[in-house]
Amino acid sequence: MTISLAVVMDPISGINIKKDSTFAMLLEAQRREYRTYYVEPSQLWIADGEAFARGARVTVEDNPDRWYELAPQEQLRLGDLDLVMMRKDPPFDMEYVADTYVLDRASQNGALVVNQPEALRNINEKAAICAYPELTPPTLVARDHQVLREFVLAQGQAIVKPLDGMGGHQIFKVSAEDPNLNVVLETVGEMGRHLIMAQGFVPQITEGDKRILMIDGEPVPYALARIPSDQDFRGNLAKGGRGVAVPLSDGDRAVAEAVGPMLREQGVLFAGLDVIGDRLTEINVTSPTCIRELDAAHDLNIAGQLFDCMESHLA
C-alpha cells in the first residue's frame, strides 16, 4: 500500500538543497514511492473538528538549478493521510503554536504527526535543557535585568539568547566588563518583556558546536561539529561556521542517553541535541538540520533511518 505524507514547511523555492534536511526527507519519501504533498503553514485550517490543508503533490530532484516541481493544489483531509511532518523553521511564535492546534486535530483524526504537536509546544528548544542541570553549563532563564546582570558578573563571560530563535540569530557573547551589557539585555529581552537565556561561556566552542541527531531517542553515531569562523564566536552554519562530521564522544553518548528517554516518552521521533565540549546547550525538536552534511561525510542515509522508524510506528 502506498504511504501518504504531507510535509508542512517553509517555501520550498527558498531552500538550500545542499544543506536542507527537509529536502533530504523529500528525496527519501520519493525513493520509497510515497504520495507526498507539499504544504505551507498558511494552507492549514480546521473545519468542524477536522484538520485540512491545501497541498500540492511534489516531485524533487537533487539538482541545484531545478529541485522541485509541484502539481496543482488539492484539498487534503489530514487525518486521511498516513504521515504529517511539521518542518517549519522557528521562530516559535504564537502562529507556530496555532499551527500545532491544527496538527493536534490531524493526529486525533488518524495521521501520525512527526513530531507530536504537544511535544512541539512543551519542549522549548532552549529552556528544555533546564531539566538536565548536571549536563548543562551554568544556565539562567529570566526577564529581570538585575538578575541577568548578576549572573553575567558571576560567570565572567556568558552567552545571551532569546528562547524562540534559530540559526544564531540574536545570540550575544558578553562579559562582566562589557559596557554594552545593559544594551544587550534590553535588546534581546525587548526591555524586559520576554524571558531570555544566559549561559556560562563554554570555551570548547572553538572545537565546534556539535549537533547530535536523535531518531526515536537513539543517536546517529556521528555528530556535525560546527566550528566558528575566525570572525565570529558562533558555530552556526548560517553564520559562517564550518561543519565537520565527527564520531560521538563518550560525553556525547552520555548526553544522548540522558535525554533520549524523554524524547521517546514525548513522541519526538526526530531531534537534534546541541553539545559544546560535553555540555548540553539546546534540544531542537522543531526542524533539526545537518542530515545532508552527515550523509555526505559518512555515506549515511539518516532520512532513511527516520522513515524506517516512522513506518514501524505506523505498523
Side-chain angles (χ1 to χ4, degrees):
M1 183 182 71
T2 300
I3 291 177
S4 54
L5 164 68
V7 180
V8 182
M9 60 184 288
D10 294 303
I12 194 171
S13 59
I15 66 175
N16 178 355
I17 67 170
K18 184 179 179 181
K19 297 182 178 181
D20 196 276
S21 291
T22 305
F23 186 72
M25 296 174 190
L26 292 172
L27 287 171
E28 180 63 20
Q30 183 167 283
R31 188 184 72 79
R32 296 181 181 226
E33 299 183 343
Y34 284 15
R35 188 169 72 254
T36 304
Y37 295 92
Y38 160 74
V39 176
E40 292 185 23
S42 62
Q43 299 165 329
L44 298 170
W45 74 90
I46 299 172
D48 297 325
E50 302 279 357
F52 292 92
R54 283 195 305 276
R57 288 285 298 274
V58 59
T59 304
V60 289
E61 180 182 353
D62 204 352
N63 177 351
D65 297 319
R66 181 184 175 85
W67 60 89
Y68 72 99
E69 186 172 332
L70 299 177
Q73 287 188 338
E74 307 173 34
Q75 180 169 308
L76 308 172
R77 179 183 179 273
L78 293 180
D80 289 339
L81 304 181
D82 297 299
L83 294 166
V84 176
M85 298 190 74
M86 179 52 158
R87 291 289 303 173
K88 180 189 178 298
D89 287 337
F92 189 88
D93 53 17
M94 283 308 299
E95 288 305 305
Y96 194 110
V97 171
D99 291 336
T100 68
Y101 298 147
V102 182
L103 298 178
D104 273 335
R105 299 312 310 155
S107 178
Q108 291 294 320
N109 297 157
L112 173 62
V113 180
V114 179
N115 288 315
Q116 280 292 313
E118 185 176 5
L120 293 176
R121 292 192 296 271
N122 289 347
I123 304 175
N124 177 273
E125 302 195 324
K126 309 298 191 294
I129 68 168
C130 296
Y132 306 94
E134 70 282 2
L135 300 177
T136 70
T139 298
L140 173 73
V141 178
R143 290 187 184 88
D144 189 294
H145 282 192
Q146 185 60 33
V147 172
L148 288 159
R149 183 178 175 83
E150 289 173 359
F151 177 85
V152 174
L153 295 179
Q155 295 300 315
Q157 289 186 313
I159 299 298
V160 175
K161 53 190 174 182
L163 295 182
D164 62 352
M166 63 165 288
H169 181 62
Q170 274 202 332
I171 294 180
F172 292 87
K173 179 184 176 184
V174 294
S175 68
E177 298 81 22
D178 191 338
N180 293 310
L181 177 56
N182 287 336
V183 177
V184 169
L185 296 177
E186 290 167 2
T187 299
V188 179
E190 295 190 9
M191 301 300 293
R193 287 194 294 272
H194 300 299
L195 284 167
I196 62 177
M197 173 172 280
Q199 291 178 320
F201 179 69
V202 183
Q204 289 90 338
I205 183 61
T206 56
E207 301 167 10
D209 179 355
K210 290 175 286 186
R211 167 61 55 82
I212 303 170
L213 294 180
M214 304 284 288
I215 297 176
D216 204 8
E218 296 294 332
V220 172
Y222 297 92
L224 192 73
R226 298 160 296 176
I227 300 172
S229 71
D230 294 337
Q231 300 176 347
D232 207 320
F233 69 92
R234 296 168 296 180
N236 306 81
L237 301 182
K239 302 302 180 184
R242 174 173 57 92
V244 177
V246 296
L248 296 189
S249 67
D250 290 343
D252 297 335
R253 292 187 181 278
V255 170
E257 288 173 5
V259 179
M262 180 274 290
L263 297 174
R264 281 192 295 273
E265 180 181 337
Q266 295 288 326
V268 177
L269 299 190
F270 189 57
L273 309 182
D274 288 352
V275 175
I276 301 175
D278 60 356
R279 300 288 90 189
L280 174 67
T281 60
E282 292 187 16
I283 301 174
N284 293 271
V285 299
T286 52
S287 56
T289 60
C290 298
I291 285 180
R292 301 224 75 186
E293 295 89 342
L294 289 172
D295 279 356
H298 289 288
D299 195 26
L300 303 175
N301 182 7
I302 296 169
Q305 293 177 253
L306 174 60
F307 277 62
D308 285 344
C309 172
M310 293 191 297
E311 288 180 10
S312 71
H313 280 261
L314 285 177

